[in-house]
Amino acid sequence: MKKEMDLFVNAKHEKKFKNHYPLIHKDAVRNYSVLKQEGSIINLIDQNGQFIAKGYYGIQNKGIGWVLSHNKGEKIDFLFFKSRMETAIDRRNAFYKSEETNAFRIFNGEGDGIGGLTIDYFDGYYLINWYSEGVYSFKDQVIRALDELTDYKAIYEKKRFDTKGKYINDDDFVKGDRGEFPIIVKENGMNYAVYLNEGAMVGIFLDQRDVRSVIREKYALDKNVLNTFSYTGAFSIAAALGGANKTTSVDLAKRSKSKTIEQFSANGIDFELHDIVVMDVFDYFKYANRKKLTYDLVILDPPSFARSKKRTFSAAKDYPGLLKDAISVTEKNGVIVASTNNATFGMKKFKGFVEQAFNESGDKYKILEAYQLPVDFRTVQEYPEGNYLKVLFVEKIS
Ligand code: SAH
């Protein structure tokens, strides 16, 4: 049995936990220092000594733990994990049945009732992301629940917390029959090469599924497309399959070139008809301006924070500048797809960045559509920060 500890909630934080806010911040509780071992069960106690909720202790950059239940009598045991996972899997029934898509998220952290844990499905393979040592302490229960609830080829895992060199696991394999990577998964009929055994980034970001789909269906035909921060070129593939004249993918990482070629090839597209450029995006904009290169569709999907040899980029500070660069290479009536996964600001502020950039560059614009997380990335109202993805389709009018 896990040890249970009482944590006394500071008065001004009481209400939010009573309203089912799931994340436990260090400064929300009085006696944080009693916590010793990650994975301990925490009871949140109010000013009157009454139980509010229970959760676990696990350190992430966001907080020190997550609420798991508001039911005092509920045990955080195997049956707890199994029932939360069963509900989550039932919610994804339509995805499991789909013939067009076999890569999706089956468990999305606090959105499915257990913060710090996500599980993705890639054509028969399950990939678990553990975001703290604390949630990792429930590994046996989670794996057993997957065993009982699903049929799989194999389970892989990513430990996205500091393991201080303790758990060395080269290829992230947990159990089943090891895969031969890449596996080719399907998303709305498009093919993507995926590696579950090469670090945290597996080749595709599943949260952009709806955005790839609409780019392919509505924005690509006959267009000249610039895809910046392109990684494996997933957006370029969608655009090419949607009938783009040409795509140009730009990423700083050397590996992006071979990875992008691989994605084109997985879809039977001749990669030589497309440009794949290994370059700092900010240098590419300068180059494009010098050469007077312009595009009908410009995709911006930077990381929240990036440091290269020359500069650091922070989405929260530098996004307007990035948009201005994009505006400078976008044709009249062209479209900019501005995306960010930064959870520290919301859609309103992001729209403000677009407003600011167009004002400063003296151009007019119109927001055509907005996207947030797809349905398999389930979020809860009580924790809006969980809906981190913000994507705006913006037309440059003049
Ligand atoms: N848009 C991609 C995911 C981007 S991941 C997709 O849809 O799959 C972020 C990528 O940005 C990484 O591949 C990283 O190498 C790249 N990157 C970070 N800073 C960069 C910079 N200054 N110039 C170009 N690429 C950069």
Side-chain angles (χ1 to χ4, degrees), residues 201 203-205 208 212 227-235 250-253 255 279-282 301-303 306 308 311:
M201 307 222 296
I204 185 165
F205 288 97
Q208 296 277 16
R212 283 187 286 271
N227 179 13
T228 63
F229 305 94
S230 57
Y231 179 42
T232 64
F235 286 124
V250 183
D251 196 292
L252 190 65
R255 54 145 206 255
M279 201 192 274
D280 188 305
V281 162
F282 298 95
D301 182 28
S308 67
R311 60 173 68 78

PDB file of all heavy atoms in Angstrom, residues 201 203-205 208 212 227-235 250-253 255 279-282 301-303 306 308 311, ligand 1:
ATOM      1  N   MET A 201      10.642  12.340 -29.470  1.00  0.00           N
ATOM      2  CA  MET A 201       9.895  12.739 -30.674  1.00  0.00           C
ATOM      3  C   MET A 201       9.859  11.561 -31.640  1.00  0.00           C
ATOM      4  O   MET A 201      10.887  11.073 -32.091  1.00  0.00           O
ATOM      5  CB  MET A 201      10.554  13.956 -31.328  1.00  0.00           C
ATOM      6  CG  MET A 201      10.755  15.116 -30.351  1.00  0.00           C
ATOM      7  SD  MET A 201      10.358  16.743 -31.023  1.00  0.00           S
ATOM      8  CE  MET A 201      11.549  16.958 -32.332  1.00  0.00           C
ATOM      9  N   GLY A 203       8.254  11.217 -34.671  1.00  0.00           N
ATOM     10  CA  GLY A 203       8.123  11.438 -36.113  1.00  0.00           C
ATOM     11  C   GLY A 203       6.873  12.195 -36.485  1.00  0.00           C
ATOM     12  O   GLY A 203       6.803  12.818 -37.540  1.00  0.00           O
ATOM     13  N   ILE A 204       5.873  12.140 -35.617  1.00  0.00           N
ATOM     14  CA  ILE A 204       4.637  12.868 -35.899  1.00  0.00           C
ATOM     15  C   ILE A 204       4.025  13.371 -34.595  1.00  0.00           C
ATOM     16  O   ILE A 204       4.093  12.679 -33.572  1.00  0.00           O
ATOM     17  CB  ILE A 204       3.643  11.971 -36.668  1.00  0.00           C
ATOM     18  CG1 ILE A 204       2.407  12.782 -37.075  1.00  0.00           C
ATOM     19  CG2 ILE A 204       3.253  10.732 -35.875  1.00  0.00           C
ATOM     20  CD1 ILE A 204       1.554  12.117 -38.117  1.00  0.00           C
ATOM     21  N   PHE A 205       3.460  14.567 -34.656  1.00  0.00           N
ATOM     22  CA  PHE A 205       2.732  15.114 -33.508  1.00  0.00           C
ATOM     23  C   PHE A 205       1.245  14.913 -33.753  1.00  0.00           C
ATOM     24  O   PHE A 205       0.650  15.575 -34.605  1.00  0.00           O
ATOM     25  CB  PHE A 205       3.073  16.595 -33.317  1.00  0.00           C
ATOM     26  CG  PHE A 205       4.466  16.803 -32.797  1.00  0.00           C
ATOM     27  CD1 PHE A 205       5.511  17.104 -33.664  1.00  0.00           C
ATOM     28  CD2 PHE A 205       4.747  16.646 -31.452  1.00  0.00           C
ATOM     29  CE1 PHE A 205       6.811  17.266 -33.187  1.00  0.00           C
ATOM     30  CE2 PHE A 205       6.041  16.809 -30.963  1.00  0.00           C
ATOM     31  CZ  PHE A 205       7.072  17.111 -31.831  1.00  0.00           C
ATOM     32  N   GLN A 208      -1.810  17.602 -34.160  1.00  0.00           N
ATOM     33  CA  GLN A 208      -2.040  18.461 -35.337  1.00  0.00           C
ATOM     34  C   GLN A 208      -2.850  17.740 -36.424  1.00  0.00           C
ATOM     35  O   GLN A 208      -2.931  18.216 -37.558  1.00  0.00           O
ATOM     36  CB  GLN A 208      -0.698  18.899 -35.939  1.00  0.00           C
ATOM     37  CG  GLN A 208       0.147  19.770 -35.020  1.00  0.00           C
ATOM     38  CD  GLN A 208      -0.255  21.235 -35.053  1.00  0.00           C
ATOM     39  OE1 GLN A 208      -1.340  21.589 -35.521  1.00  0.00           O
ATOM     40  NE2 GLN A 208       0.613  22.111 -34.565  1.00  0.00           N
ATOM     41  N   ARG A 212      -3.560  19.197 -40.202  1.00  0.00           N
ATOM     42  CA  ARG A 212      -3.042  18.566 -41.429  1.00  0.00           C
ATOM     43  C   ARG A 212      -4.184  18.274 -42.388  1.00  0.00           C
ATOM     44  O   ARG A 212      -4.086  18.478 -43.599  1.00  0.00           O
ATOM     45  CB  ARG A 212      -2.300  17.264 -41.087  1.00  0.00           C
ATOM     46  CG  ARG A 212      -0.912  17.500 -40.519  1.00  0.00           C
ATOM     47  CD  ARG A 212      -0.139  16.203 -40.362  1.00  0.00           C
ATOM     48  NE  ARG A 212      -0.594  15.400 -39.241  1.00  0.00           N
ATOM     49  CZ  ARG A 212      -0.112  15.503 -37.993  1.00  0.00           C
ATOM     50  NH1 ARG A 212       0.849  16.363 -37.710  1.00  0.00           N
ATOM     51  NH2 ARG A 212      -0.573  14.727 -37.034  1.00  0.00           N
ATOM     52  N   ASN A 227       6.853  25.573 -45.256  1.00  0.00           N
ATOM     53  CA  ASN A 227       6.603  24.917 -43.966  1.00  0.00           C
ATOM     54  C   ASN A 227       7.827  25.123 -43.084  1.00  0.00           C
ATOM     55  O   ASN A 227       8.875  24.518 -43.316  1.00  0.00           O
ATOM     56  CB  ASN A 227       6.327  23.425 -44.212  1.00  0.00           C
ATOM     57  CG  ASN A 227       6.088  22.651 -42.921  1.00  0.00           C
ATOM     58  OD1 ASN A 227       5.887  23.236 -41.861  1.00  0.00           O
ATOM     59  ND2 ASN A 227       6.112  21.331 -43.019  1.00  0.00           N
ATOM     60  N   THR A 228       7.703  26.018 -42.088  1.00  0.00           N
ATOM     61  CA  THR A 228       8.863  26.311 -41.234  1.00  0.00           C
ATOM     62  C   THR A 228       8.808  25.491 -39.939  1.00  0.00           C
ATOM     63  O   THR A 228       7.734  25.097 -39.509  1.00  0.00           O
ATOM     64  CB  THR A 228       8.921  27.804 -40.891  1.00  0.00           C
ATOM     65  OG1 THR A 228       7.758  28.167 -40.133  1.00  0.00           O
ATOM     66  CG2 THR A 228       8.986  28.661 -42.145  1.00  0.00           C
ATOM     67  N   PHE A 229       9.955  25.270 -39.339  1.00  0.00           N
ATOM     68  CA  PHE A 229      10.081  24.372 -38.168  1.00  0.00           C
ATOM     69  C   PHE A 229       9.455  23.027 -38.558  1.00  0.00           C
ATOM     70  O   PHE A 229       8.620  22.479 -37.834  1.00  0.00           O
ATOM     71  CB  PHE A 229       9.381  24.954 -36.932  1.00  0.00           C
ATOM     72  CG  PHE A 229       9.836  26.338 -36.570  1.00  0.00           C
ATOM     73  CD1 PHE A 229       9.155  27.454 -37.027  1.00  0.00           C
ATOM     74  CD2 PHE A 229      10.969  26.533 -35.784  1.00  0.00           C
ATOM     75  CE1 PHE A 229       9.573  28.731 -36.702  1.00  0.00           C
ATOM     76  CE2 PHE A 229      11.397  27.809 -35.445  1.00  0.00           C
ATOM     77  CZ  PHE A 229      10.691  28.916 -35.908  1.00  0.00           C
ATOM     78  N   SER A 230       9.890  22.519 -39.678  1.00  0.00           N
ATOM     79  CA  SER A 230       9.131  21.458 -40.363  1.00  0.00           C
ATOM     80  C   SER A 230       9.341  20.070 -39.777  1.00  0.00           C
ATOM     81  O   SER A 230       8.564  19.162 -40.067  1.00  0.00           O
ATOM     82  CB  SER A 230       9.504  21.454 -41.841  1.00  0.00           C
ATOM     83  OG  SER A 230      10.904  21.276 -41.976  1.00  0.00           O
ATOM     84  N   TYR A 231      10.420  19.859 -38.977  1.00  0.00           N
ATOM     85  CA  TYR A 231      10.692  18.549 -38.339  1.00  0.00           C
ATOM     86  C   TYR A 231      10.700  17.443 -39.402  1.00  0.00           C
ATOM     87  O   TYR A 231      11.561  17.448 -40.265  1.00  0.00           O
ATOM     88  CB  TYR A 231       9.681  18.350 -37.195  1.00  0.00           C
ATOM     89  CG  TYR A 231       9.788  17.055 -36.425  1.00  0.00           C
ATOM     90  CD1 TYR A 231      11.031  16.528 -36.053  1.00  0.00           C
ATOM     91  CD2 TYR A 231       8.647  16.349 -36.056  1.00  0.00           C
ATOM     92  CE1 TYR A 231      11.112  15.347 -35.329  1.00  0.00           C
ATOM     93  CE2 TYR A 231       8.717  15.170 -35.327  1.00  0.00           C
ATOM     94  CZ  TYR A 231       9.954  14.664 -34.972  1.00  0.00           C
ATOM     95  OH  TYR A 231      10.010  13.492 -34.268  1.00  0.00           O
ATOM     96  N   THR A 232       9.744  16.511 -39.392  1.00  0.00           N
ATOM     97  CA  THR A 232       9.759  15.455 -40.421  1.00  0.00           C
ATOM     98  C   THR A 232       8.905  15.828 -41.637  1.00  0.00           C
ATOM     99  O   THR A 232       8.632  14.975 -42.484  1.00  0.00           O
ATOM    100  CB  THR A 232       9.240  14.112 -39.859  1.00  0.00           C
ATOM    101  OG1 THR A 232       7.865  14.279 -39.487  1.00  0.00           O
ATOM    102  CG2 THR A 232      10.040  13.660 -38.648  1.00  0.00           C
ATOM    103  N   GLY A 233       8.458  17.086 -41.673  1.00  0.00           N
ATOM    104  CA  GLY A 233       7.712  17.540 -42.852  1.00  0.00           C
ATOM    105  C   GLY A 233       6.252  17.112 -42.895  1.00  0.00           C
ATOM    106  O   GLY A 233       5.634  17.118 -43.963  1.00  0.00           O
ATOM    107  N   ALA A 234       5.678  16.775 -41.747  1.00  0.00           N
ATOM    108  CA  ALA A 234       4.304  16.251 -41.736  1.00  0.00           C
ATOM    109  C   ALA A 234       3.313  17.187 -42.448  1.00  0.00           C
ATOM    110  O   ALA A 234       2.461  16.734 -43.218  1.00  0.00           O
ATOM    111  CB  ALA A 234       3.858  15.987 -40.305  1.00  0.00           C
ATOM    112  N   PHE A 235       3.438  18.495 -42.218  1.00  0.00           N
ATOM    113  CA  PHE A 235       2.522  19.438 -42.898  1.00  0.00           C
ATOM    114  C   PHE A 235       2.810  19.482 -44.402  1.00  0.00           C
ATOM    115  O   PHE A 235       1.900  19.676 -45.205  1.00  0.00           O
ATOM    116  CB  PHE A 235       2.672  20.856 -42.326  1.00  0.00           C
ATOM    117  CG  PHE A 235       2.066  21.034 -40.962  1.00  0.00           C
ATOM    118  CD1 PHE A 235       2.832  21.499 -39.900  1.00  0.00           C
ATOM    119  CD2 PHE A 235       0.717  20.761 -40.729  1.00  0.00           C
ATOM    120  CE1 PHE A 235       2.282  21.696 -38.641  1.00  0.00           C
ATOM    121  CE2 PHE A 235       0.158  20.950 -39.468  1.00  0.00           C
ATOM    122  CZ  PHE A 235       0.943  21.414 -38.423  1.00  0.00           C
ATOM    123  N   VAL A 250      11.573  23.789 -43.971  1.00  0.00           N
ATOM    124  CA  VAL A 250      12.791  24.370 -43.385  1.00  0.00           C
ATOM    125  C   VAL A 250      12.904  23.978 -41.917  1.00  0.00           C
ATOM    126  O   VAL A 250      11.988  24.225 -41.126  1.00  0.00           O
ATOM    127  CB  VAL A 250      12.784  25.916 -43.482  1.00  0.00           C
ATOM    128  CG1 VAL A 250      14.084  26.495 -42.928  1.00  0.00           C
ATOM    129  CG2 VAL A 250      12.565  26.368 -44.917  1.00  0.00           C
ATOM    130  N   ASP A 251      14.018  23.365 -41.580  1.00  0.00           N
ATOM    131  CA  ASP A 251      14.288  23.014 -40.177  1.00  0.00           C
ATOM    132  C   ASP A 251      15.794  23.041 -39.972  1.00  0.00           C
ATOM    133  O   ASP A 251      16.570  22.711 -40.861  1.00  0.00           O
ATOM    134  CB  ASP A 251      13.733  21.623 -39.845  1.00  0.00           C
ATOM    135  CG  ASP A 251      13.638  21.373 -38.338  1.00  0.00           C
ATOM    136  OD1 ASP A 251      14.703  21.271 -37.674  1.00  0.00           O
ATOM    137  OD2 ASP A 251      12.508  21.265 -37.830  1.00  0.00           O
ATOM    138  N   LEU A 252      16.150  23.431 -38.767  1.00  0.00           N
ATOM    139  CA  LEU A 252      17.545  23.546 -38.381  1.00  0.00           C
ATOM    140  C   LEU A 252      18.244  22.190 -38.217  1.00  0.00           C
ATOM    141  O   LEU A 252      19.452  22.073 -38.408  1.00  0.00           O
ATOM    142  CB  LEU A 252      17.537  24.266 -37.035  1.00  0.00           C
ATOM    143  CG  LEU A 252      18.769  24.787 -36.383  1.00  0.00           C
ATOM    144  CD1 LEU A 252      19.349  25.894 -37.233  1.00  0.00           C
ATOM    145  CD2 LEU A 252      18.370  25.363 -35.020  1.00  0.00           C
ATOM    146  N   ALA A 253      17.480  21.190 -37.824  1.00  0.00           N
ATOM    147  CA  ALA A 253      18.095  19.908 -37.457  1.00  0.00           C
ATOM    148  C   ALA A 253      18.486  19.126 -38.717  1.00  0.00           C
ATOM    149  O   ALA A 253      17.670  18.945 -39.622  1.00  0.00           O
ATOM    150  CB  ALA A 253      17.118  19.096 -36.613  1.00  0.00           C
ATOM    151  N   ARG A 255      18.891  16.011 -39.138  1.00  0.00           N
ATOM    152  CA  ARG A 255      18.113  14.790 -39.339  1.00  0.00           C
ATOM    153  C   ARG A 255      16.797  15.066 -40.081  1.00  0.00           C
ATOM    154  O   ARG A 255      16.172  14.174 -40.626  1.00  0.00           O
ATOM    155  CB  ARG A 255      17.791  14.102 -38.010  1.00  0.00           C
ATOM    156  CG  ARG A 255      17.114  15.063 -37.030  1.00  0.00           C
ATOM    157  CD  ARG A 255      16.085  14.524 -36.125  1.00  0.00           C
ATOM    158  NE  ARG A 255      15.221  15.656 -35.804  1.00  0.00           N
ATOM    159  CZ  ARG A 255      15.195  16.324 -34.645  1.00  0.00           C
ATOM    160  NH1 ARG A 255      15.940  15.928 -33.652  1.00  0.00           N
ATOM    161  NH2 ARG A 255      14.399  17.351 -34.477  1.00  0.00           N
ATOM    162  N   MET A 279      18.218  24.712 -42.329  1.00  0.00           N
ATOM    163  CA  MET A 279      18.644  26.101 -42.085  1.00  0.00           C
ATOM    164  C   MET A 279      17.847  26.669 -40.918  1.00  0.00           C
ATOM    165  O   MET A 279      16.719  26.238 -40.664  1.00  0.00           O
ATOM    166  CB  MET A 279      18.349  26.946 -43.329  1.00  0.00           C
ATOM    167  CG  MET A 279      19.160  28.213 -43.429  1.00  0.00           C
ATOM    168  SD  MET A 279      18.564  29.360 -44.710  1.00  0.00           S
ATOM    169  CE  MET A 279      19.392  28.778 -46.142  1.00  0.00           C
ATOM    170  N   ASP A 280      18.429  27.625 -40.250  1.00  0.00           N
ATOM    171  CA  ASP A 280      17.690  28.379 -39.241  1.00  0.00           C
ATOM    172  C   ASP A 280      16.558  29.132 -39.951  1.00  0.00           C
ATOM    173  O   ASP A 280      16.791  29.827 -40.944  1.00  0.00           O
ATOM    174  CB  ASP A 280      18.655  29.362 -38.563  1.00  0.00           C
ATOM    175  CG  ASP A 280      18.016  30.040 -37.363  1.00  0.00           C
ATOM    176  OD1 ASP A 280      16.937  30.641 -37.522  1.00  0.00           O
ATOM    177  OD2 ASP A 280      18.602  29.959 -36.268  1.00  0.00           O
ATOM    178  N   VAL A 281      15.358  28.992 -39.436  1.00  0.00           N
ATOM    179  CA  VAL A 281      14.192  29.619 -40.067  1.00  0.00           C
ATOM    180  C   VAL A 281      14.375  31.130 -40.219  1.00  0.00           C
ATOM    181  O   VAL A 281      14.006  31.714 -41.247  1.00  0.00           O
ATOM    182  CB  VAL A 281      12.921  29.325 -39.225  1.00  0.00           C
ATOM    183  CG1 VAL A 281      11.791  30.277 -39.576  1.00  0.00           C
ATOM    184  CG2 VAL A 281      12.493  27.878 -39.409  1.00  0.00           C
ATOM    185  N   PHE A 282      14.978  31.761 -39.232  1.00  0.00           N
ATOM    186  CA  PHE A 282      15.125  33.219 -39.287  1.00  0.00           C
ATOM    187  C   PHE A 282      16.113  33.626 -40.382  1.00  0.00           C
ATOM    188  O   PHE A 282      15.940  34.656 -41.027  1.00  0.00           O
ATOM    189  CB  PHE A 282      15.518  33.763 -37.907  1.00  0.00           C
ATOM    190  CG  PHE A 282      14.437  33.471 -36.886  1.00  0.00           C
ATOM    191  CD1 PHE A 282      14.511  32.334 -36.070  1.00  0.00           C
ATOM    192  CD2 PHE A 282      13.320  34.287 -36.802  1.00  0.00           C
ATOM    193  CE1 PHE A 282      13.502  32.045 -35.166  1.00  0.00           C
ATOM    194  CE2 PHE A 282      12.298  34.000 -35.900  1.00  0.00           C
ATOM    195  CZ  PHE A 282      12.388  32.873 -35.086  1.00  0.00           C
ATOM    196  N   ASP A 301       5.118  26.623 -37.082  1.00  0.00           N
ATOM    197  CA  ASP A 301       4.842  25.752 -35.931  1.00  0.00           C
ATOM    198  C   ASP A 301       6.105  25.587 -35.093  1.00  0.00           C
ATOM    199  O   ASP A 301       6.682  24.502 -35.024  1.00  0.00           O
ATOM    200  CB  ASP A 301       4.312  24.398 -36.418  1.00  0.00           C
ATOM    201  CG  ASP A 301       3.959  23.488 -35.253  1.00  0.00           C
ATOM    202  OD1 ASP A 301       3.608  24.001 -34.175  1.00  0.00           O
ATOM    203  OD2 ASP A 301       4.045  22.247 -35.426  1.00  0.00           O
ATOM    204  N   PRO A 302       6.540  26.678 -34.462  1.00  0.00           N
ATOM    205  CA  PRO A 302       7.798  26.619 -33.709  1.00  0.00           C
ATOM    206  C   PRO A 302       7.619  25.921 -32.363  1.00  0.00           C
ATOM    207  O   PRO A 302       6.495  25.840 -31.860  1.00  0.00           O
ATOM    208  CB  PRO A 302       8.104  28.106 -33.474  1.00  0.00           C
ATOM    209  CG  PRO A 302       6.758  28.738 -33.374  1.00  0.00           C
ATOM    210  CD  PRO A 302       5.873  27.985 -34.344  1.00  0.00           C
ATOM    211  N   PRO A 303       8.718  25.446 -31.769  1.00  0.00           N
ATOM    212  CA  PRO A 303       8.624  24.976 -30.378  1.00  0.00           C
ATOM    213  C   PRO A 303       8.371  26.185 -29.466  1.00  0.00           C
ATOM    214  O   PRO A 303       8.623  27.328 -29.860  1.00  0.00           O
ATOM    215  CB  PRO A 303      10.003  24.375 -30.118  1.00  0.00           C
ATOM    216  CG  PRO A 303      10.905  24.932 -31.157  1.00  0.00           C
ATOM    217  CD  PRO A 303      10.079  25.356 -32.316  1.00  0.00           C
ATOM    218  N   ALA A 306      13.231  27.615 -28.014  1.00  0.00           N
ATOM    219  CA  ALA A 306      14.314  26.964 -28.759  1.00  0.00           C
ATOM    220  C   ALA A 306      15.573  27.799 -28.647  1.00  0.00           C
ATOM    221  O   ALA A 306      15.525  29.024 -28.696  1.00  0.00           O
ATOM    222  CB  ALA A 306      13.931  26.819 -30.225  1.00  0.00           C
ATOM    223  N   SER A 308      19.241  28.155 -30.469  1.00  0.00           N
ATOM    224  CA  SER A 308      20.203  27.729 -31.487  1.00  0.00           C
ATOM    225  C   SER A 308      21.500  28.464 -31.184  1.00  0.00           C
ATOM    226  O   SER A 308      21.573  29.241 -30.239  1.00  0.00           O
ATOM    227  CB  SER A 308      19.685  28.046 -32.886  1.00  0.00           C
ATOM    228  OG  SER A 308      19.636  29.445 -33.073  1.00  0.00           O
ATOM    229  N   ARG A 311      20.664  32.331 -31.563  1.00  0.00           N
ATOM    230  CA  ARG A 311      19.591  33.053 -30.854  1.00  0.00           C
ATOM    231  C   ARG A 311      18.733  32.100 -30.047  1.00  0.00           C
ATOM    232  O   ARG A 311      18.777  30.897 -30.227  1.00  0.00           O
ATOM    233  CB  ARG A 311      18.726  33.793 -31.864  1.00  0.00           C
ATOM    234  CG  ARG A 311      18.054  32.876 -32.884  1.00  0.00           C
ATOM    235  CD  ARG A 311      17.072  33.631 -33.742  1.00  0.00           C
ATOM    236  NE  ARG A 311      17.686  34.590 -34.652  1.00  0.00           N
ATOM    237  CZ  ARG A 311      18.287  34.277 -35.786  1.00  0.00           C
ATOM    238  NH1 ARG A 311      18.378  33.019 -36.165  1.00  0.00           N
ATOM    239  NH2 ARG A 311      18.810  35.199 -36.555  1.00  0.00           N
TER     240      ARG A 311
HETATM  241  N1  SAH B   1       5.937  21.474 -37.271  1.00  0.00           N
HETATM  242  C1  SAH B   1       6.435  20.168 -36.942  1.00  0.00           C
HETATM  243  C2  SAH B   1       6.908  20.042 -35.531  1.00  0.00           C
HETATM  244  C3  SAH B   1       7.939  21.046 -35.115  1.00  0.00           C
HETATM  245  S1  SAH B   1       8.951  20.495 -33.812  1.00  0.00           S
HETATM  246  C4  SAH B   1       5.388  19.104 -37.249  1.00  0.00           C
HETATM  247  O1  SAH B   1       4.256  19.442 -37.538  1.00  0.00           O
HETATM  248  O2  SAH B   1       5.714  17.928 -37.180  1.00  0.00           O
HETATM  249  C5  SAH B   1      10.051  21.828 -33.725  1.00  0.00           C
HETATM  250  C6  SAH B   1      11.133  21.800 -34.776  1.00  0.00           C
HETATM  251  O3  SAH B   1      11.702  23.103 -34.818  1.00  0.00           O
HETATM  252  C7  SAH B   1      12.276  20.837 -34.485  1.00  0.00           C
HETATM  253  O4  SAH B   1      12.397  19.937 -35.543  1.00  0.00           O
HETATM  254  C8  SAH B   1      13.521  21.755 -34.397  1.00  0.00           C
HETATM  255  O5  SAH B   1      14.664  21.196 -35.012  1.00  0.00           O
HETATM  256  C9  SAH B   1      13.064  22.969 -35.160  1.00  0.00           C
HETATM  257  N2  SAH B   1      13.719  24.243 -34.835  1.00  0.00           N
HETATM  258  C10 SAH B   1      13.898  24.814 -33.617  1.00  0.00           C
HETATM  259  N3  SAH B   1      14.454  26.042 -33.747  1.00  0.00           N
HETATM  260  C11 SAH B   1      14.610  26.253 -35.068  1.00  0.00           C
HETATM  261  C12 SAH B   1      15.133  27.340 -35.846  1.00  0.00           C
HETATM  262  N4  SAH B   1      15.589  28.459 -35.273  1.00  0.00           N
HETATM  263  N5  SAH B   1      15.142  27.216 -37.197  1.00  0.00           N
HETATM  264  C13 SAH B   1      14.679  26.084 -37.778  1.00  0.00           C
HETATM  265  N6  SAH B   1      14.173  25.041 -37.103  1.00  0.00           N
HETATM  266  C14 SAH B   1      14.151  25.116 -35.770  1.00  0.00           C
END
